[in-house]
């Protein structure tokens, strides 16, 4: 609903403004350019002939494959904020609509070789960006923004609009700008600005470290609208996923038809699109083709077949039955099942990794011996499966994360929330600092090999 209100407001403002809101540009050699369609390649730069403070700028852009350009505002060519234009697969590069180094985005709502709409609105300390009519950034600069030395000049002020070609060829057309008065406000800016002096997420953004929570469920009062607002306010990209299978909590998909219907529902939203294989029968319930439309797929070992071949959700105490075996033997069964799951179920990410029943968890380090850890890491390495760092359960341990990093395994961050109050990846931030996780250690969907893996039906 937010982007509809913003678009309507923009139309009203534009209709009340001058009949010609086109921008005039100067090239690097000082020549004036007034073309409706502009083409930029690497190193090209165009600067507006006038300066602006509060405004709405809109237009269309078209990127060639692997092309990138940017629009800077409140700029002298070097200072000011920068909005990026880059499309393509989710590969770790920052995508169209990113407010670079402040609100980096990793999934684009536009495609290469296709004209798409963009709008950038600056009202006092608020910056709102939309791509193809959907809000992707709503950032309010706090009174004391956190900026590294490299980005110290990315602050609200006044200045020129600058278009830069960074890589390949990008085209712009129909660029219009409407100046706004000093009292202009964004009616959709309803959340308080983040205190960046104590915020860890902005520090990762300034390092261009990809901040993505791949494991968010719409449940417990968390709607897509609330998730959208939280994501933009916190600066965390969300990967929103339903459960495909049986036994989970929240949105459940039952067959291929529901998979396709759900995907069409979420595809236009500003989230990464994931799906969770739930239970142990999902591989025989859904086709690889249907689940393959999602950006990524994850599963966990929180549901196992126990030593008596009973389906056991080990996160429920009433389904954990030892029946004469020791807890060490039960742990062996958890590890055995984990290896089977990761070997036979073609997932991209091992979620809720190393989870054990609550009764055993006080002795987590005792049960997760080096031998058991190595068995799980071996299969992750063999099948190029990423290891989720989970802040809800604070798993895996920092020791296991360090062992995985030494092997060169990739990581994702994933909360597995129960409601709308699920924090800001605090344990992941701890792992980054204590285990030396870098941007190069993060997994992206372009690394997926799951579509090439055979599905093996087991635990019959």
């Amino acid at each position: 609903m937010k982007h509809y209100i913003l678009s309507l407001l923009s139309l009203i403002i534009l209709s009340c403004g001058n009949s010609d809101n086109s921008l005039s540009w100067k090239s690097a050699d000082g020549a004036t350019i007034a073309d409706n369609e502009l083409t930029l390649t690497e190193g090209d730069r165009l600067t507006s002939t006038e300066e602006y403070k509060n405004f709405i700028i809109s237009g269309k852009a078209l990127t060639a494959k692997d092309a990138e350009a940017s629009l800077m505002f409140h700029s002298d060519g070097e200072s000011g904020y920068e909005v990026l234009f880059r499309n393509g697969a989710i590969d770790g590069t920052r995508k169209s609509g990113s407010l670079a180094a402040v609100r980096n985005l990793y999934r684009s709502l536009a495609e290469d070789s296709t004209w798409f709409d963009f709008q950038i609105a600056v009202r006092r300390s608020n910056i709102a960006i939309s791509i193809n009519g959907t809000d992707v950034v709503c950032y309010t600069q706090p009174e004391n923004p956190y900026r590294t030395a490299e980005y110290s000049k990315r602050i609200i002020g006044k200045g020129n609009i600058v278009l830069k070609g960074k890589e390949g060829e990008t085209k712009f057309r129909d660029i219009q700008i409407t100046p706004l008065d000093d009292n202009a406000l964004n009616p959709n800016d309803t959340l308080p600005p983040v205190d960046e002096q104590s915020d860890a997420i902005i520090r990762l953004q300034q390092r261009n470290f990809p901040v993505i929570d791949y494991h968010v469920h719409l449940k417990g009062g968390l709607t897509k609208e609330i998730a959208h607002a939280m994501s933009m306010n916190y600066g965390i990209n969300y990967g929103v996923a339903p459960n495909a299978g049986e036994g989970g909590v929240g949105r459940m998909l039952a067959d291929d038809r529901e998979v396709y219907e759900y995907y069409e529902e979420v595809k236009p939203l500003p989230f990464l699109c994931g799906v969770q294989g739930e239970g142990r029968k999902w591989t025989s319930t859904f086709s690889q083709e249907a689940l393959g439309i999602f950006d990524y797929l994850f599963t966990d070992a929180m549901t196992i077949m126990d030593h008596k071949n009973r389906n056991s959700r080990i996160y429920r105490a009433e389904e954990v039955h030892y029946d004469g075996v020791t807890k060490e033997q039960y742990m062996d069964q958890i590890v055995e099942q984990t290896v089977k799951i990761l070997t036979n179920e073609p997932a991209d990410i091992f979620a809720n990794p190393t989870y054990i029943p609550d009764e055993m968890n006080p002795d987590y380090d005792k049960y997760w011996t080096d031998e058991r850890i190595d068995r799980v890491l071996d299969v992750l390495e063999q099948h190029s499966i990423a290891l989720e760092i989970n802040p809800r359960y604070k798993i895996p341990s920092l020791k296991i994360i360090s062992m995985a990093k030494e092997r060169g395994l990739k990581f994702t961050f994933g909360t597995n929330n129960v409601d709308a109050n699920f924090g800001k990846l605090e344990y992941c931030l701890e792992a980054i600092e204590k285990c030396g996780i870098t941007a190069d250690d993060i997994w992206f969907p372009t690394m997926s090999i799951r579509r090439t893996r055979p599905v093996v039906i087991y635990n019959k």
Side-chain angles (χ1 to χ4, degrees):
M1 181 62 70
K2 287 185 177 181
H3 63 270
Y4 295 121
I5 297 173
L6 179 58
S7 298
L8 179 60
L9 178 65
S10 303
L11 288 172
I12 294 171
I13 291 171
L14 289 172
S15 67
C16 296
N18 298 328
S19 58
D20 183 6
N21 296 306
S22 300
L23 278 165
S24 295
W25 305 94
K26 293 184 296 184
S27 65
D29 60 8
T32 300
I33 299 171
D35 291 347
N36 182 54
E37 185 169 304
L38 307 169
T39 300
L40 282 79
T41 58
E42 184 177 352
D44 291 340
R45 177 182 296 192
L46 299 175
T47 304
S48 66
T49 56
E50 297 183 31
E51 293 187 344
Y52 300 90
K53 183 179 180 182
N54 291 338
F55 59 85
I56 293 178
I57 187 169
S58 62
K60 296 180 181 294
L62 184 148
T63 56
K65 186 178 184 297
D66 297 326
E68 182 175 338
S70 71
L71 183 153
M72 299 191 74
F73 60 87
H74 294 174
S75 179
D76 58 9
E78 300 299 330
S79 64
Y81 281 99
E82 182 179 31
V83 179
L84 301 181
F85 295 84
R86 184 186 183 100
N87 300 310
I90 305 171
D91 58 3
T93 57
R94 297 172 296 175
K95 300 304 182 183
S96 291
S98 293
L99 189 63
V102 177
R103 290 293 183 265
N104 296 320
L105 309 174
Y106 293 94
R107 174 181 176 245
S108 178
L109 296 181
E111 297 180 359
D112 286 330
S113 304
T114 301
W115 287 100
F116 63 93
D117 298 325
F118 69 88
Q119 184 179 84
I120 304 163
V122 180
R123 304 177 186 89
R124 298 170 69 173
S125 59
N126 179 261
I127 302 165
I129 304 169
S130 69
I131 299 295
N132 278 335
T134 297
D135 293 346
V136 293
V137 169
C138 184
Y139 170 75
T140 298
Q141 179 182 293
E143 290 187 12
N144 296 301
Y146 174 85
R147 298 292 184 266
T148 61
E150 180 180 2
Y151 298 117
S152 60
K153 295 182 179 180
R154 297 211 173 169
I155 55 174
I156 291 289
K158 183 178 180 179
N160 295 102
I161 309 294
V162 180
L163 287 175
K164 289 184 177 182
K166 290 175 164 287
E167 184 178 355
E169 181 179 276
T170 303
K171 296 182 178 182
F172 294 91
R173 74 182 186 197
D174 303 334
I175 298 179
Q176 301 281 311
I177 190 164
T178 299
L180 304 175
D181 64 40
D182 289 348
N183 296 318
L185 293 173
N186 180 358
N188 299 316
D189 180 27
T190 58
L191 296 176
V194 172
D195 177 7
E196 293 184 354
Q197 295 304 311
S198 61
D199 181 56
I201 300 300
I202 189 63
R203 285 157 173 75
L204 292 182
Q205 295 279 7
Q206 295 277 284
R207 290 162 52 184
N208 292 313
F209 189 110
V211 187
I212 307 172
D213 187 337
Y214 280 91
H215 193 163
V216 176
H217 294 301
L218 299 179
K219 63 181 181 181
L222 182 68
T223 65
K224 56 181 179 289
E225 291 83 8
I226 293 173
H228 185 183
M230 287 171 54
S231 174
M232 291 192 296
N233 191 55
Y234 294 161
I236 301 174
N237 292 244
Y238 286 165
V240 173
N243 294 309
E246 58 182 4
V249 178
R251 183 72 176 267
M252 297 291 297
L253 306 179
D255 53 35
D256 282 3
R257 179 185 59 80
E258 290 191 5
V259 165
Y260 288 117
E261 289 176 352
Y262 173 84
Y263 185 74
E264 289 303 313
E265 177 186 332
V266 299
K267 183 173 63 173
L269 299 176
F271 307 121
L272 282 73
C273 300
V275 63
Q276 178 173 2
E278 183 69 42
R280 301 280 64 92
K281 296 181 180 179
W282 66 269
T283 50
S284 59
T285 304
F286 303 90
S287 69
Q288 282 260 61
E289 180 182 12
L291 295 181
I293 65 176
F294 290 96
D295 297 328
Y296 60 96
L297 185 152
F298 59 93
T299 195
D300 58 33
M302 295 177 75
T303 300
I304 66 169
M305 305 303 292
D306 72 7
H307 53 290
K308 290 194 174 181
N309 208 36
R310 293 168 298 199
N311 191 71
S312 175
R313 290 171 290 186
I314 62 174
Y315 55 93
R316 295 189 174 187
E318 67 272 18
E319 295 187 22
V320 177
H321 303 291
Y322 301 106
D323 288 343
V325 301
T326 66
K327 290 180 181 177
E328 286 286 351
Q329 290 170 321
Y330 196 86
M331 184 67 196
D332 285 336
Q333 182 67 12
I334 291 175
V335 174
E336 188 68 30
Q337 283 286 296
T338 300
V339 170
K340 281 188 176 183
I341 290 165
L342 298 174
T343 299
N344 297 308
E345 300 180 12
D348 294 311
I349 301 166
F350 179 32
N352 304 308
T354 69
Y355 181 92
I356 57 177
D358 289 344
E359 187 180 0
M360 298 170 62
N361 197 56
D363 294 314
Y364 176 98
D365 291 330
K366 167 190 169 184
Y367 291 117
W368 278 109
T369 63
D370 287 355
E371 180 182 0
R372 288 168 175 154
I373 294 167
D374 283 335
R375 286 198 65 196
V376 173
L377 297 184
D378 283 346
V379 72
L380 294 178
E381 186 172 4
Q382 180 183 355
H383 296 293
S384 300
I385 300 170
L387 181 66
E388 177 183 273
I389 301 176
N390 185 290
R392 174 182 170 185
Y393 297 117
K394 295 187 177 181
I395 52 176
S397 66
L398 296 176
K399 171 188 173 180
I400 295 175
I401 293 171
S402 296
M403 291 173 67
K405 179 174 168 59
E406 288 178 8
R407 286 173 172 250
L409 296 180
K410 298 295 184 181
F411 300 93
T412 62
F413 304 152
T415 300
N416 187 17
N417 60 299
V418 295
D419 53 31
N421 183 23
F422 54 94
K424 298 170 67 175
L425 300 173
E426 287 82 359
Y427 182 64
C428 303
L429 300 172
E430 182 182 355
I432 288 172
E433 300 306 319
K434 293 184 177 179
C435 302
I437 304 295
T438 71
D440 291 335
D441 296 316
I442 301 302
W443 181 92
F444 295 98
T446 50
M447 302 174 184
S448 173
I449 66 167
R450 80 174 191 274
R451 297 169 184 85
T452 67
R453 292 183 59 194
V455 175
V456 179
I457 307 302
Y458 67 108
N459 280 333
K460 297 178 180 178

